[in-house]
Amino acid sequence: MSTLLTRRSRHAGVALAAVLAFFGAADVQSAQPTALNPLPDAEVRARADTLLAKMTPEEKAGQITQYFNFGDPKEAKRVQDEVAAGRAGSLLFVHDPVELDRLQHIAVEKTRLKIPLLFAFDVIHGLRTIMPVPIAVAASWDPKVAEDGQTVAAAEARAAGLHWTFAPMVDIARDPRWGRIIEGAGEDPYLGSAMAVAQVRGFQGAYIGSPGHVISGPKHFAGYGAAFGGRDYDEVDLSDNELWNTYLPPFKAAIDAGAGNIMSAYMGLNGVPATGNHWLLTDVLRTEWGFKGFVVTDAGAAHDLLTHGLAGSEADAGVRALQAGVDMEMSPPFGTSAFKTLPLSLKEGRITTIEIDNAVRRVLEAKIRMGLFEKPYVDLKQAQRVLTDPQHREVSRAAAERTAVLLRNEGDLLPLDLNKLKSIAVIGPLADSARDTLGPWVFAFDLNETVTVLAGIKAKAGSNVRVDYSPGVSLPVRLNPSIFDTLPAAAATRMQVDDASELPRAVALAQASDVTVLVLGEAQIMIGENASRSSLDLPGRQQELLDAVIATGKPVVVLLMSARPLDLKNSKPGALMVIWYPGTQGGAAVANLLFGEVSPGGKLPYTWPRNIGQIPLPYAHLGSHQPKTTEQRYWNEPNSPLYPFGFGIGYSTFEFSNLKVDRQTLVLGESVPVSVEVRNTGSRVADEVAQLYIHQRFGSSARPVRELKGFQRVTLKPGETRTVQFTLTPAELSYWTAAKRAWVQDETTFDVYVGNSSQAALTTTLEVSKVRR
Ligand code: BGC
């Protein structure tokens, strides 16, 4: 029935070395310069080894220690002293070019071995120019948006003096209560892998050390998105089936794309904390996947092996992290470093020189590849030029336009026609909040460059249309504070109002206007790290505001500034569009969408449940023995999603036809082209995303009812037809089965579906057999 791709399984039946070749991975042993590796491995290694030979155990331990520097004067002094003594390899969180340059001068000029610092930062969706948040970029279903955005982010970061970003986050998220859903690409491993690859390319360029680029560190390895109950930092218990088929593929894709770093996760994976997990960090990452870069822990995660109850002492934590496969400790802010105990552990024989040298070498190699020994300092003039490049804001605006997802548009309320409107009421606590428009995980922005939705609408509406504004209601504060609260960059710019008087004023404005644009959602501090929620309701009194504005009977457009599906309690505004946290030019992009200069073309990267009680509700679930009653799993309401994965409408309509699988029968190991015709049947230029799903009918394991295996976003004129081509390769037709604890491609029959969401109706079949029929 099935072909076992490989049986060379050593660890928990994992056999990816052979699969590497199968999936066409680069030859990781190559010592020759290649596009991905312009400095020959041997030369880089020899240079690192020359340095290594001169280092004391304390200098080695320092080289693989990374310190936070938030600017707290006492901590900054401690960190600077460590740098000056040659006991720090890397710093994070410094992002001011002048300060970066100053610290680098200390490292290069004052230390014995003159080894430059590697400066890292969370450049997640932009440094100065802020792009839409990562989940938004995934909603574009356009990897070019991801690559272009991160190319700009990398250019700004590198010009500022940074060398490495802790991004992309490639954790799959199937529980929207988990706040970090905003940082990834949503629930699907195929979309997630495509976005991971595009971001790594954008950050790193053609090779590590490409001018204007930085090292990319996909995170958090691995399984972090599956935290119990969507509670950030809680443990994760994942079956091997889930790990291999759903959670690991985006990491594998990012590594194959050349990512130079990986961050180990905080949490316990199946009882073994990820940062002390040898199976994960060595057996899978290095032995099976051939990863050659360096592994950094998440903040304090080596030390936390003690907190988790894995290690018995801080020294034991350092030993366990190193021996599991960690190369650098991100030392806990204001805390002690587990890796600083390594010299003692070396002396006492708990680790070997080879073990510590392997880690130090990988860090030195990264510095050599980045060219830091030749060019350690910041060109401050160039930094200023790059950081304020107006072209970057254009990239951000274009990205935001491609990320919006239109979910409802009754009676073609959108686009709004400025020739017919005399007045617009813009209402909502997020409508004029510059800080919230940018989203979380940004620290170096300039609010003066940020266009809110209100500002964008006003600029577009001109002087002939009256635009009134009311926040309507205030947003509540979090019951439990955020870890970001104390950072100045998190300060809200929202107007605080008294709901009792402002809500009726807002409703009166809606009543007196031709149309109302309501901007609702979650403040940026309510989503992201340490921002899980037990509810998907609109925070505060926003639902009351929404209901009251709809009750006026006037046309209402709701724009959701959010990054998880929210429960609008069956409210039915005329139009509903998710604008995410759209970034620096968010308001300008939203205005272009509202007034029809561009048509929304984004699609949901996650399933939108009717009710929080349905979570998790991935579209790619197994059929079960009762497929016919899937919709009736609960006695009180349908189990179908409110909006399916992949769903989104625009200002035109499209028809899919003529789905063709090039050959209906395939031999194992062969690829097959698939094509479909997409026709714009409406009257506007608009985008559609052709999505290809497969379902394997039988085989070694039961397989999900649908799995995304191809997508393409196209722009079509009214009446235009385009033939979209996909290729199904053995990689798409294979999976990891717990039955054999290995990757397989089965002899089987597939249903192939193509259309504009995970509920695509157009279908055909494909047979795969051992011999040609
Ligand atoms: C997060 C990481 C981040 C690190 C450094 C941690 O709390 O989990 O994603 O890169 O902090 O800021």
Side-chain angles (χ1 to χ4, degrees):
M1 279 293 297
S2 70
T3 296
L4 211 52
L5 293 180
T6 170
R7 290 185 188 277
R8 233 170 31 88
S9 139
R10 288 194 301 117
H11 304 285
V14 178
L16 281 186
V19 177
L20 263 182
F22 178 77
F23 286 108
D27 175 11
V28 291
Q29 300 306 324
S30 166
Q32 297 307 311
T34 65
L36 274 174
N37 181 14
L39 285 180
D41 288 356
E43 181 189 321
V44 175
R45 188 184 169 111
R47 283 178 61 186
D49 281 344
T50 306
L51 272 170
L52 250 176
K54 297 181 193 155
M55 293 171 86
T56 64
E58 286 68 28
E59 284 167 336
K60 288 178 185 174
Q63 196 54 224
I64 54 176
T65 303
Q66 179 184 55
Y67 287 107
F68 274 90
N69 189 341
F70 291 118
D72 170 82
K74 224 169 128 205
E75 183 69 354
K77 167 85 174 56
R78 178 175 80 106
V79 169
Q80 184 172 315
D81 290 349
E82 289 295 279
V83 170
R87 290 196 301 258
S90 173
L91 301 190
L92 77 151
F93 253 88
V94 189
H95 56 79
D96 170 42
V98 175
E99 180 63 0
L100 285 164
D101 196 51
R102 188 185 72 81
L103 288 161
Q104 192 68 298
H105 274 276
I106 295 175
V108 174
E109 286 158 19
K110 300 264 186 302
T111 64
R112 196 175 73 88
L113 295 174
K114 308 191 181 322
I115 301 175
L117 289 162
L118 195 59
F119 288 116
F121 196 39
D122 291 278
V123 184
I124 308 295
H125 55 113
L127 184 67
R128 160 86 169 250
T129 310
I130 308 305
M131 303 292 154
V133 293
I135 190 83
V137 172
S140 74
W141 289 61
D142 182 357
K144 192 171 176 305
V145 171
E147 184 168 346
D148 290 353
Q150 303 303 29
T151 302
V152 165
E156 293 188 1
R158 189 70 204 259
L162 293 162
H163 312 123
W164 163 25
T165 178
F166 304 122
M169 187 195 93
V170 300
D171 294 312
I172 294 294
R174 294 186 157 188
D175 188 333
R177 291 172 295 183
W178 192 55
R180 302 198 81 167
I181 189 171
I182 193 173
E183 291 174 57
E187 74 179 48
D188 186 75
Y190 188 88
L191 181 62
S193 298
M195 290 297 158
V197 168
Q199 291 187 78
V200 170
R201 284 200 192 123
F203 282 130
Q204 282 193 181
Y207 55 90
I208 294 170
S210 298
H213 289 273
V214 293
I215 296 173
S216 164
K219 64 188 185 186
H220 307 82
F221 198 56
Y224 185 32
F228 275 11
R231 293 183 295 272
D232 202 12
Y233 308 148
D234 265 1
E235 74 268 38
V236 168
D237 226 307
L238 276 179
S239 68
D240 285 345
N241 175 41
E242 291 260 24
L243 256 180
W244 287 115
N245 290 313
T246 305
Y247 288 81
L248 292 181
F251 284 98
K252 174 67 166 52
I255 289 165
D256 288 349
N261 168 254
I262 285 284
M263 183 187 290
S264 68
Y266 280 134
M267 81 302 143
L269 174 67
N270 301 332
V272 184
T275 296
N277 197 319
H278 186 274
W279 175 77
L280 206 52
L281 299 182
T282 297
D283 299 345
V284 175
L285 188 63
R286 296 212 182 270
T287 312
E288 308 290 353
W289 290 358
F291 176 62
K292 299 235 290 184
F294 65 107
V295 174
V296 70
T297 70
D298 203 337
H303 168 89
D304 284 343
L305 296 181
L306 179 62
T307 323
H308 275 292
L310 185 81
S313 65
E314 180 143 65
D316 186 28
V319 170
R320 282 173 183 259
L322 182 80
Q323 290 182 338
V326 167
D327 300 302
M328 178 179 273
E329 176 187 18
M330 188 190 292
S331 184
F334 309 103
T336 56
S337 314
F339 270 18
K340 283 298 162 81
T341 60
L342 292 178
L344 185 64
S345 297
L346 186 64
K347 206 161 141 205
E348 292 176 353
R350 288 196 297 266
I351 57 166
T352 64
T353 301
I354 291 179
E355 283 167 342
I356 193 166
D357 282 2
N358 281 344
V360 179
R361 184 183 303 107
R362 290 188 187 117
V363 171
L364 292 174
E365 286 182 348
K367 293 182 176 184
I368 293 165
R369 288 194 189 282
M370 287 301 287
L372 299 191
F373 289 88
E374 292 77 21
K375 205 170 172 282
Y377 302 126
V378 185
D379 177 341
L380 294 171
K381 277 208 189 108
Q382 165 82 348
Q384 187 56 21
R385 248 194 327 273
V386 174
L387 288 170
T388 55
D389 186 341
Q391 188 53 36
H392 294 181
R393 296 199 280 278
E394 283 304 298
V395 175
S396 173
R397 184 192 43 74
E401 287 172 2
R402 288 179 81 75
T403 63
V405 181
L406 182 63
L407 296 173
R408 269 176 76 80
N409 194 17
E410 297 307 293
D412 290 340
L413 174 56
L414 292 180
L416 300 174
D417 186 346
L418 276 175
N419 296 320
K420 294 191 182 141
L421 288 176
K422 294 209 170 50
S423 55
I424 306 174
V426 179
I427 294 174
L430 296 166
D432 197 31
S433 175
R435 179 63 196 85
D436 289 309
T437 304
L438 300 177
W441 275 122
V442 291
F443 307 93
F445 51 81
D446 181 349
L447 284 182
N448 295 321
E449 290 167 358
T450 307
V451 184
T452 65
V453 172
L454 176 65
I457 290 177
K458 276 187 170 162
K460 202 101 231 165
S463 51
N464 292 337
V465 178
R466 196 186 77 228
V467 179
D468 291 312
Y469 165 64
S470 160
V473 292
S474 285
L475 288 181
V477 289
R478 294 170 45 133
L479 172 67
N480 296 313
S482 161
I483 50 168
F484 297 105
D485 280 342
T486 52
L487 298 178
T493 55
R494 249 171 290 121
M495 195 195 283
Q496 287 300 312
V497 291
D498 171 22
D499 292 5
S501 54
E502 192 65 17
L503 200 152
R505 191 178 86 82
V507 177
L509 285 182
Q511 189 74 62
S513 304
D514 293 341
V515 64
T516 295
V517 176
L518 256 177
V519 189
L520 305 175
E522 292 182 295
Q524 64 84 21
I525 203 77
M526 296 172 175
I527 188 134
E529 183 176 352
N530 187 223
S532 293
R533 269 185 94 197
S534 62
S535 156
L536 298 181
D537 294 357
L538 284 166
R541 291 176 66 184
Q542 293 183 93
Q543 183 68 45
E544 205 181 317
L545 174 67
L546 170 60
D547 292 342
V549 170
I550 290 179
T552 62
K554 294 302 225 19
V556 179
V557 177
V558 171
L559 303 178
L560 279 185
M561 195 176 278
S562 73
R564 56 178 143 221
L566 293 175
D567 186 350
L568 303 189
K569 311 286 175 203
N570 271 324
S571 309
K572 297 206 164 33
L576 175 62
M577 183 156 69
V578 182
I579 60 169
W580 314 101
Y581 300 86
T584 300
Q585 289 290 303
V590 166
N592 285 345
L593 289 154
L594 284 177
F595 299 115
E597 262 174 51
V598 283
S599 170
K603 304 279 181 181
L604 288 176
Y606 47 58
T607 302
W608 194 300
R610 294 168 183 279
N611 185 317
I612 194 167
Q614 289 174 285
I615 293 168
L617 191 65
Y619 80 92
H621 60 85
L622 299 188
S624 85
H625 73 295
Q626 278 274 13
K628 291 205 180 83
T629 59
T630 302
E631 291 306 299
Q632 295 122 47
R633 292 287 196 261
Y634 299 110
W635 62 256
N636 59 320
E637 64 180 322
N639 187 36
S640 55
L642 189 59
Y643 301 109
F645 174 84
F647 177 77
I649 54 177
Y651 298 157
S652 194
T653 47
F654 292 87
E655 227 173 62
F656 287 77
S657 62
N658 225 351
L659 171 59
K660 273 195 209 131
V661 172
D662 198 49
R663 293 186 310 285
Q664 220 81 38
T665 54
L666 281 191
V667 173
L668 289 166
E670 283 182 352
S671 298
V672 65
V674 178
S675 64
V676 72
E677 282 175 17
V678 188
R679 195 167 110 82
N680 183 342
T681 51
S683 53
R684 284 177 168 269
V685 177
D687 285 12
E688 183 56 288
V689 180
Q691 303 167 39
L692 179 151
Y693 296 85
I694 61 167
H695 166 236
Q696 178 172 317
R697 289 191 184 171
F698 53 90
S700 307
S701 287
R703 298 298 298 148
V705 290
R706 299 233 170 154
E707 292 179 272
L708 182 70
K709 293 294 178 183
F711 62 89
Q712 233 178 90
R713 181 166 171 164
V714 292
T715 305
L716 297 181
K717 297 195 204 85
E720 188 183 348
T721 302
R722 176 93 43 90
T723 303
V724 175
Q725 306 276 359
F726 303 98
T727 306
L728 282 172
T729 71
E732 275 93 38
L733 303 175
S734 304
Y735 63 98
W736 191 92
T737 172
K740 290 162 183 162
R741 307 200 61 77
W743 291 87
V744 292
Q745 185 185 2
D746 287 323
E747 272 193 279
T748 186
T749 304
F750 288 95
D751 297 302
V752 177
Y753 302 90
V754 178
N756 58 9
S757 84
S758 54
Q759 295 183 349
L762 198 60
T763 184
T764 183
T765 57
L766 170 68
E767 306 279 336
V768 180
S769 62
K770 208 176 279 175
V771 290
R772 192 160 309 281
R773 291 211 187 114

